[in-house]
Amino acid sequence: MSEFANIPWNLILPILVLQLILMAVALTDLIRRKQTNGPFIMWIFIILLGNLIGSIIYFIFGRRHE
Amino acid sequence: MKGLSVLLQKEWRENARNFKLYWIPIVFVIFGIIEPVTNHFLPEIMKSVGNLPEGSEFTWPQFRGEDIFVSLMGQYQLIGILIIVLAFMGSISGERKSGTATLLYVRPMSFGSYFLSKWIVVNGIILGSVWLGFFAAWYYINILFNPVAAGDVFAFLATYSLWIIFAVTVVLSFSAWMPTGGTAGLSILVLIVLQVIDSVIGAFWTVSPWKVATYASMMFSSITNQSGFWMSIGLTFVLIVVLILFGINMAKRNAAKTTV
Amino acid sequence: MTQLLLVNNLTKVYGNHKVADSISFELEQGTITALIGPNGAGKTTTLSMLAGLVTPSDGSILFQNQPKADIRASIGFLPQYPKFFPWLTALEFTEMAARLSGIEAKKALEDAKKTLEFVGLGNAMKKRTGTFSGGMKQRLGLAQAIVHKPKLLLLDEPVSALDPVGRRQVMNLLKELQQETTILYSTHILNDAEEMTDQLLFLRKGALVENGSLDSVREKYANPRILIEFESDEEVDRFITMSPWAFSREKRLLVIDAEKEKVRISDALTLLTTENFLIRKLELQTASLEEIFMKVVMEE
């Protein structure tokens, strides 16, 4: 566990922040959208649990083509 | 170029409001940060969780900062290209299918402006994302590895950008030509499958657009084949121009296929 | 009157199917013309060719006597189901439409606002079109079609998708527009056409089968009949023994083909009064527009 503490979190923090922003953008889009490909609740889980990939998958496949 | 500025505004609004203007750069930057960070800490992480047998010495290759640029480019070559294809495959075919294109096509706009407005905005988003991603990586590389000469980085980015523009042009011109599904399939074939084929059996030739990325990575060392490099650049440039003209023509010819 | 549009032998072939078959007609400036036919008669294809969306297989379109001109700047087009970019507001879309038709930016914004007020979308201007109802989309479609003051307005089934209230509102808008522009619109409902039409064009299976003013078409297909309804069956029987004209009978109602029997309603009245028939009704009936429609575009 001591090795774990050696990891400089200040370097990794930006990744987490960016992921959170991405997730927030995805959720904003999802909530404002009336129609999605597949159930709304499924996309909530995909975005929240799927990390980076979840949000990307939502942006590419979740939004019904306008 | 009748109507270009109006159509540019329309494309800009579209990409801002469907959030492509935001999520694509964020994704590229995240990859740009993850690459140097994981490469730097991987040996330590493996050591702490790897349960290596007592006494065994596992030697990790000593990466230089330059190598990280190249491995990030490797990520973009697959994930980045997939994002370009999937995010923009419907740029023109989708407008035809939904019928939103109809009310544009009955206006006295030129199809040159129509195609170029998309080409300019999509290239702006993707090139911006790629450059931001590499700049983020550069910042981390300077901290975690060694400083890399700015001249090399910019030569690398400039060369790689040409390949990215080629990729965007392929996707948009195919979208002008075919329905969205066909655009996706053929774009992946041209941009990913042919890329792999070129890297496997491409030793037999030195000039091809798929080698532009390889030549870009040589900017950090030295280019072994100067004429091959310049001819690939020239060929890619010509192909981009040809694809743009093809795309404009196809957008016009397929205008009648828009849903009325 | 001056001629605005001359269409000659307009033909569109898909594979070996003629969707439009040698259609010829002309439009006078300032008139309103209805393109009538059942679904699949080629109305949309004809309008799409005029709008410059579909290239004709054959034939010519002469706009203000200028062949081969890009007439898209002088045309406003409203598809049956207009589709808008859902992320643009009504104002942004209408402004874009005006600018694409060559109106400079500042005037485009003003014109867009005025036009949206005119079609009754003044309050919804700043709303994204993705949230619009069908009726609102139809109004916005009309707004984008007229914002650049086109010389020719092409409307594909402008009211058929609307409820009676929306239909009335759009019809009233069209009547106002009629003062300023030339209108060609398609419909499969003759009652719509009856209300505002200078010229009727009947399409059947891609071909133009009848062309004329509402009155002339009415007259041609009037098929006048004299209807007599009697008080009792005995009266009918009594009349039958005396009638010099052929008729068809349905219970106490007799129908005489006025044209074929060369009988006027006064002739019938004279006979009925001199012989003291007890009747409930005497009427001269001409073909309704629905009947004309069926006869002209559906027969065979």
Side-chain angles (χ1 to χ4, degrees):
Chain A
M1 267 350 243
S2 62
E3 307 272 358
F4 219 61
N6 286 342
I7 293 174
W9 289 103
N10 60 333
L11 287 181
I12 295 173
L13 195 65
I15 303 179
L16 301 178
V17 171
L18 283 173
Q19 284 208 21
L20 276 177
I21 295 175
L22 193 67
M23 211 178 265
V25 174
L27 286 175
T28 313
D29 188 86
L30 176 64
I31 287 162
R32 289 212 319 213
R33 193 161 295 265
K34 276 184 259 159
Q35 290 183 313
T36 49
N37 281 328
F40 179 84
I41 196 77
M42 174 186 86
W43 287 111
I44 295 265
F45 280 113
I46 289 175
I47 293 168
L48 289 179
L49 305 177
N51 276 330
L52 176 59
I53 301 300
S55 300
I56 296 177
I57 287 177
Y58 169 70
F59 278 122
I60 288 177
F61 300 107
R63 309 191 289 177
R64 181 159 294 182
H65 251 288
E66 304 150 336
Chain B
M1 287 297 113
K2 233 178 151 191
L4 182 62
S5 64
V6 193
L7 291 169
L8 277 173
Q9 186 187 36
K10 175 231 160 207
E11 289 302 320
W12 181 257
R13 280 174 171 160
E14 169 163 18
N15 285 290
R17 291 177 191 179
N18 64 22
F19 295 130
K20 280 179 192 163
L21 189 57
Y22 312 113
W23 73 259
I24 295 176
I26 292 174
V27 169
F28 275 76
V29 169
I30 290 176
F31 277 102
I33 300 175
I34 286 179
E35 198 63 24
V37 169
T38 49
N39 274 298
H40 185 262
F41 291 107
L42 203 56
E44 285 180 40
I45 295 166
M46 291 306 284
K47 225 184 282 169
S48 65
V49 298
N51 292 328
L52 292 173
E54 197 67 31
S56 71
E57 264 305 303
F58 198 88
T59 48
W60 286 89
Q62 273 300 304
F63 284 128
R64 289 160 52 247
E66 288 82 349
D67 301 326
I68 305 302
F69 277 101
V70 176
S71 70
L72 176 56
M73 185 187 82
Q75 298 280 1
Y76 288 168
Q77 282 295 77
L78 181 64
I79 298 165
I81 297 289
L82 267 178
I83 288 176
I84 298 173
V85 173
L86 295 174
F88 295 105
M89 59 191 177
S91 292
I92 295 171
S93 52
E95 285 190 353
R96 272 198 304 260
K97 182 153 189 273
S98 70
T100 50
T102 306
L103 293 179
L104 297 179
Y105 295 170
V106 294
R107 305 266 159 201
M109 53 143 219
S110 82
F111 282 88
S113 311
Y114 177 66
F115 187 87
L116 283 179
S117 67
K118 290 175 188 295
W119 188 83
I120 290 167
V121 170
V122 175
N123 268 313
I125 294 171
I126 296 297
L127 286 178
S129 304
V130 168
W131 282 62
L132 277 177
F134 277 115
F135 283 153
W138 195 7
Y139 176 80
Y140 276 81
I141 286 166
N142 273 333
I143 297 172
L144 300 173
F145 297 87
N146 50 302
V148 181
D152 289 353
V153 174
F154 283 107
F156 162 75
L157 283 178
T159 311
Y160 187 60
S161 294
L162 187 70
W163 158 257
I164 290 294
I165 294 172
F166 174 74
V168 167
T169 313
V170 164
V171 175
L172 290 181
S173 59
F174 286 4
S175 185
W177 175 29
M178 287 187 300
T180 306
T183 303
L186 208 63
S187 298
I188 287 172
L189 179 77
V190 168
L191 297 175
I192 294 176
V193 177
L194 289 188
Q195 183 198 137
V196 171
I197 290 174
D198 191 278
S199 72
V200 173
I201 56 164
F204 299 105
W205 57 86
T206 54
V207 180
S208 99
W210 298 278
K211 284 200 165 55
V212 170
T214 317
Y215 282 119
S217 67
M218 291 180 189
M219 292 299 163
F220 294 113
S221 45
S222 63
I223 294 178
T224 47
N225 183 339
Q226 279 287 342
S227 74
F229 165 70
W230 285 110
M231 281 168 74
S232 294
I233 295 284
L235 176 65
T236 308
F237 188 80
V238 170
L239 282 175
I240 289 172
V241 174
V242 169
L243 281 171
I244 289 175
L245 295 175
F246 172 76
I248 292 172
N249 216 324
M250 279 299 151
K252 190 172 186 175
R253 262 184 49 180
N254 286 335
K257 289 186 185 157
T258 182
T259 308
V260 180
Chain C
M1 278 214 255
T2 43
Q3 180 193 74
L4 183 76
L5 185 79
L6 179 66
V7 174
N8 200 9
N9 272 322
L10 202 60
T11 302
K12 183 67 194 178
V13 186
Y14 288 114
N16 48 15
H17 181 54
K18 269 190 181 167
V19 190
D21 188 359
S22 309
I23 294 173
S24 304
F25 62 90
E26 56 185 277
L27 298 181
E28 302 286 347
Q29 207 143 31
T31 57
I32 181 159
T33 303
L35 193 59
I36 293 160
N39 292 330
K43 302 189 295 285
T44 299
T45 307
T46 304
L47 290 175
S48 297
M49 284 192 280
L50 295 178
L53 273 178
V54 173
T55 318
S57 309
D58 198 10
S60 64
I61 299 166
L62 206 63
F63 190 79
Q64 291 188 316
N65 275 315
Q66 285 171 322
K68 305 249 174 212
D70 185 357
I71 64 176
R72 292 181 301 173
S74 318
I75 281 181
F77 180 59
L78 170 62
Q80 183 171 5
Y81 304 105
K83 295 290 187 335
F84 306 98
F85 301 104
W87 35 266
L88 280 181
T89 68
L91 183 58
E92 286 165 345
F93 187 86
T94 315
E95 184 198 1
M96 176 178 81
R99 287 185 66 190
L100 281 175
S101 284
I103 296 174
E104 55 96 13
K106 210 174 144 196
K107 190 169 183 301
L109 182 64
E110 274 171 38
D111 289 358
K113 279 183 184 162
K114 268 188 235 156
T115 311
L116 288 168
E117 296 279 1
F118 172 72
V119 299
L121 287 177
N123 295 325
M125 265 188 223
K126 302 248 160 85
K127 282 202 184 121
R128 292 198 185 179
T129 61
T131 65
F132 275 25
S133 68
M136 289 166 87
K137 282 184 180 161
Q138 205 67 18
R139 286 148 184 267
L140 178 57
L142 195 58
Q144 64 81 33
I146 62 178
V147 66
H148 53 299
K149 303 207 163 39
K151 295 205 174 82
L152 175 60
L153 194 52
L154 303 172
L155 313 165
D156 194 5
E157 303 269 3
V159 294
S160 10
L162 298 176
D163 60 28
V165 179
R167 175 179 298 218
R168 169 86 357 248
Q169 287 167 338
V170 171
M171 292 285 250
N172 288 341
L173 290 175
L174 292 182
K175 277 183 194 160
E176 273 185 66
L177 287 168
Q178 203 187 339
Q179 323 289 324
E180 296 158 30
T181 183
T182 309
I183 301 177
L184 173 64
Y185 70 101
S186 72
T187 182
H188 63 271
I189 302 165
L190 250 169
N191 289 339
D192 289 347
E194 186 176 19
E195 212 171 307
M196 36 167 211
T197 301
D198 296 312
Q199 187 184 202
L200 295 168
L201 303 172
F202 287 87
L203 278 184
R204 185 178 67 209
K205 291 178 190 160
L208 192 65
V209 287
E210 188 59 64
N211 176 359
S213 71
L214 184 61
D215 287 343
S216 70
V217 171
R218 264 217 171 111
E219 201 165 313
K220 186 167 172 187
Y221 294 93
N223 185 27
R225 290 148 294 179
I226 293 169
L227 269 63
I228 311 166
E229 193 181 348
F230 294 90
E231 287 277 356
S232 64
D233 289 333
E234 292 75 43
E235 288 289 283
V236 185
D237 295 336
R238 187 158 73 89
F239 182 83
I240 288 172
T241 57
M242 275 176 218
S243 171
W245 313 296
F247 53 82
S248 62
R249 176 183 179 178
E250 192 169 322
K251 290 181 183 163
R252 294 176 191 169
L253 190 71
L254 285 191
V255 183
I256 302 163
D257 188 325
E259 216 163 53
K260 218 190 265 172
E261 299 298 317
K262 300 203 167 50
V263 50
R264 284 180 299 187
I265 193 161
S266 52
D267 303 334
L269 187 61
T270 314
L271 178 65
L272 291 168
T273 45
T274 50
E275 299 295 333
N276 259 324
F277 278 105
L278 297 172
I279 63 164
R280 281 193 178 148
K281 186 168 87 182
L282 172 66
E283 188 187 340
L284 179 70
Q285 203 179 53
T286 52
S288 72
L289 282 168
E290 296 297 333
E291 284 173 282
I292 297 176
F293 177 79
M294 295 303 284
K295 196 169 162 71
V296 177
V297 300
M298 302 298 263
E299 81 185 11
E300 280 161 39

